[in-house]
Amino acid sequence: MKGLSICHSSTASSSLPGFIIFFITFCVHKLESARFTVIGPDHPVTAIVGEDIVLPCHLFPRMSAENMEVRWFRSEFTSVVHLYQHGKDEYGQQMPEYHERTELLKAGIMVGNVALGIVNVRPSDEGQYHCFVQDGIFNEEAVLELKVEASGSAPQISVEGYQDGGIRIVCQLAGWYPEPEVLWRDRRGQLLSPSTETKSQDGRGLFEIKSSIIITENSNQNLACSIRNAYFSLEEEPSTFYISDFFFPRMSPWPVVWSVTLVISLVFVSLTLFLLKLRGKHLNTISKLQVDLEWRRSLSDVANVTLDPDTAHPYLVLSEGGKSVRWGDIEEDLPGNPERFDYWECVLGCGGFTAGRHCWEVEVGGEGYWAVGVARESVGRKGDISRSPEGGIWAVGWDWWEGQFRALTSPVTLLPRRRAPSRIRVCLDCDRGQVTFIDAGDEAPIFTFPPGSVPGERIRPWLGVWDTDTWLRLCP
């Protein structure tokens, strides 16, 4: 018994160091693996039916995801939209509805960009997407929302004869998503209830709606039919018309003649409204050009802007004279002073402005992810700041993930340009609190943050670069 006891004690003593070594090794491995966060957009991504879209997703801090597993899925882990594994795309588990419609954009995978491209967007693509990245035993994911839209035909109003002692007016539309709300209003703007409404979806999942209302001689004969967007509660410009007492049925043998006359009158009214609207657009364009011309004539100072190295993110590389900036491959060993940005790769201009009107031009090289604008002196420098007026930044920029030129509002405003300008003029009016962006190539206005948007404190030029092979240069 003593021999057995001694043997047991010896075994326990010899196994204890091995257990400690295993435990320490396991903890160290866990700590080494947990080294990134998966980041997606903090707002829903909106896509248009039939067009292509990119769902942004990247690792922070930036690192290569070439040898990691990247899995995009819907509500369940096995509902695979796209799978990248062992250095290549795997399609065996992909959902049939995404076959030959997805692509992991590998151009930026070496710096942690794992964005997913989807072609020919469908209404069924709408919903939540999970961007899941795994390295060894460690994994992280981000969840983002995709909203799908389709703007179909404008409301078409027609007369479908007499019914219940009045005239049956029909408002029809097709090709919309999500399902819009059709609204009838009288001339005071009060909502009217339709007598009938039918809804259906075509083969692509787009909505078709037919709504009708009966108007009588004693009812309000000024009507408007409009559409309300289901996502943003925005009401489209209505189609309006008026029906005279002459068209209501009396002791007359000519209802058919009246109906034909009514249709002709409606066509004439619609054509007149279209021409007036077109004329209004031309006048609005002329007014904008006049405002732009007055702005340029009244500029009091063409600013000589240089960049402040004390504010530059460690990943940014500034030229010797502080006139250009590019995104570097490695993080510079720089002092972590309070003025330096430490999350988003951006930099401020030296000095700044508190009064007067000032302008400067920025030349863009490459087609990566960048932005140009102004920021208030007190803009946040540490952590994930909001790159919008709410965060103290007024700017426009190019997002290569989604292939979009946009103003950094909240939410962002998409700008109607297929390609970004190669040279941008920034015009700051401190007295009015307004900043305007102009294409310096063709002198066309790009975007204006309206008067009163920029606060009455010191405002400094602001540049951001988030991609390799992309640079920004302040022009003489």
Side-chain angles (χ1 to χ4, degrees):
M1 292 295 292
K2 289 182 179 179
L4 180 60
S5 176
I6 293 171
C7 180
H8 177 75
S9 175
S10 174
T11 303
S13 300
S14 62
S15 63
L16 183 58
F19 174 79
I20 293 174
I21 293 172
F22 170 79
F23 180 79
I24 294 174
T25 303
F26 176 80
C27 292
V28 170
H29 181 69
K30 289 286 285 183
L31 289 172
E32 288 178 349
S33 297
R35 60 182 186 274
F36 62 82
T37 302
V38 180
I39 299 177
D42 56 1
H43 57 274
V45 179
T46 302
I48 305 299
V49 172
E51 296 187 0
D52 303 341
I53 189 65
V54 173
L55 302 181
C57 185
H58 67 278
L59 305 184
F60 181 82
R62 297 178 186 271
M63 64 181 67
S64 174
E66 189 175 22
N67 297 319
M68 300 182 186
E69 175 183 318
V70 180
R71 179 187 295 257
W72 283 87
F73 64 93
R74 297 297 299 266
S75 58
E76 299 181 2
F77 191 77
T78 55
S79 304
V80 176
V81 176
H82 193 96
L83 178 62
Y84 173 84
Q85 202 174 41
H86 308 304
K88 61 180 181 179
D89 298 308
E90 301 284 354
Y91 298 100
Q93 303 178 43
Q94 188 178 43
M95 299 167 68
E97 55 265 39
Y98 291 97
H99 182 58
E100 296 184 349
R101 294 180 55 230
T102 63
E103 178 187 5
L104 189 71
L105 305 183
K106 302 183 184 67
I109 198 169
M110 297 300 293
V111 291
N113 290 328
V114 290
L116 179 71
I118 302 178
V119 302
N120 190 20
V121 171
R122 306 170 181 173
S124 59
D125 295 333
E126 186 173 72
Q128 281 193 344
Y129 288 76
H130 296 250
C131 176
F132 173 91
V133 182
Q134 180 165 341
D135 183 20
I137 62 173
F138 178 75
N139 62 77
E140 281 284 337
E141 70 174 59
V143 180
L144 58 150
E145 183 82 11
L146 175 63
K147 290 187 175 182
V148 178
E149 290 185 351
S151 296
S153 62
Q156 302 294 320
I157 301 176
S158 61
V159 179
E160 292 200 353
Y162 295 98
Q163 181 179 332
D164 300 332
I167 299 176
R168 184 169 183 257
I169 307 298
V170 176
C171 182
Q172 291 180 285
L173 53 106
W176 287 83
Y177 191 88
E179 179 184 325
E181 183 180 4
V182 178
L183 304 176
W184 289 98
R185 297 183 186 275
D186 62 18
R187 63 181 175 184
R188 295 186 300 273
Q190 299 296 317
L191 289 173
L192 303 174
S193 299
S195 57
T196 62
E197 188 168 278
T198 58
K199 303 175 182 178
S200 62
Q201 288 179 271
D202 61 18
R204 295 191 299 162
L206 304 181
F207 284 92
E208 300 176 355
I209 301 179
K210 183 177 181 179
S211 178
S212 67
I213 192 169
I214 305 297
I215 59 174
T216 62
E217 185 176 4
N218 297 322
S219 65
N220 195 314
Q221 296 158 28
N222 279 307
L223 293 177
C225 176
S226 60
I227 305 170
R228 177 182 291 166
N229 185 293
Y231 281 152
F232 306 109
S233 298
L234 297 177
E235 191 170 334
E236 301 289 337
E237 185 174 347
S239 296
T240 59
F241 64 96
Y242 172 76
I243 294 183
S244 170
D245 292 341
F246 171 77
F247 295 103
F248 289 94
R250 302 175 189 272
M251 298 301 293
S252 171
W254 307 107
V256 176
V257 175
W258 294 339
S259 298
V260 172
T261 306
L262 174 63
V263 171
I264 294 173
S265 300
L266 291 176
V267 171
F268 176 76
V269 171
S270 299
L271 181 59
T272 302
L273 291 174
F274 173 78
L275 293 174
L276 289 174
K277 183 177 180 181
L278 186 62
R279 179 176 179 271
K281 287 183 177 180
H282 284 300
L283 291 175
N284 189 39
T285 301
I286 294 171
S287 177
K288 288 182 177 179
L289 291 174
Q290 289 174 340
V291 170
D292 182 53
L293 182 60
E294 290 175 1
W295 156 266
R296 298 178 198 186
R297 287 175 176 172
S298 62
L299 281 173
S300 60
D301 185 15
V302 178
N304 182 19
V305 176
T306 58
L307 300 177
D308 184 355
D310 291 336
T311 66
H313 187 279
Y315 262 108
L316 296 183
V317 179
L318 272 60
S319 65
E320 184 175 348
K323 286 295 185 179
S324 67
V325 59
R326 62 179 176 85
W327 195 83
D329 296 328
I330 60 174
E331 185 173 2
E332 297 287 334
D333 185 15
L334 299 173
N337 56 60
E339 293 81 15
R340 191 177 307 284
F341 292 97
D342 68 353
Y343 186 90
W344 290 109
E345 291 86 344
C346 48
V347 60
L348 293 175
C350 294
F353 313 100
T354 57
R357 295 170 174 171
H358 313 273
C359 72
W360 58 93
E361 293 185 2
V362 182
E363 184 179 358
V364 180
E367 296 185 355
Y369 191 6
W370 55 266
V372 171
V374 299
R376 63 189 180 195
E377 176 75 42
S378 60
V379 65
R381 316 291 173 88
K382 308 301 180 184
D384 186 7
I385 61 175
S386 174
R387 296 169 297 167
S388 67
E390 286 75 11
I393 295 172
W394 295 262
V396 297
W398 177 257
D399 185 350
W400 72 267
W401 286 346
E402 300 185 18
Q404 295 172 342
F405 189 49
R406 54 192 190 173
L408 301 188
T409 55
S410 181
V412 296
T413 300
L414 301 184
L415 301 177
R417 287 173 174 262
R418 291 294 182 182
R419 297 181 62 86
S422 59
R423 189 161 172 155
I424 298 176
R425 182 178 303 134
V426 184
C427 301
L428 171 66
D429 188 337
C430 296
D431 301 329
R432 299 185 66 195
Q434 174 180 309
V435 59
T436 298
F437 299 90
I438 298 170
D439 187 337
D442 59 11
E443 299 296 321
I446 296 174
F447 186 79
T448 296
F449 288 91
S453 301
V454 183
E457 64 175 270
R458 181 172 295 277
I459 302 299
R460 300 173 66 175
W462 177 88
L463 303 178
V465 181
W466 298 283
D467 242 317
T468 56
D469 301 325
T470 300
W471 51 264
L472 300 174
R473 183 173 69 91
L474 293 163
C475 304

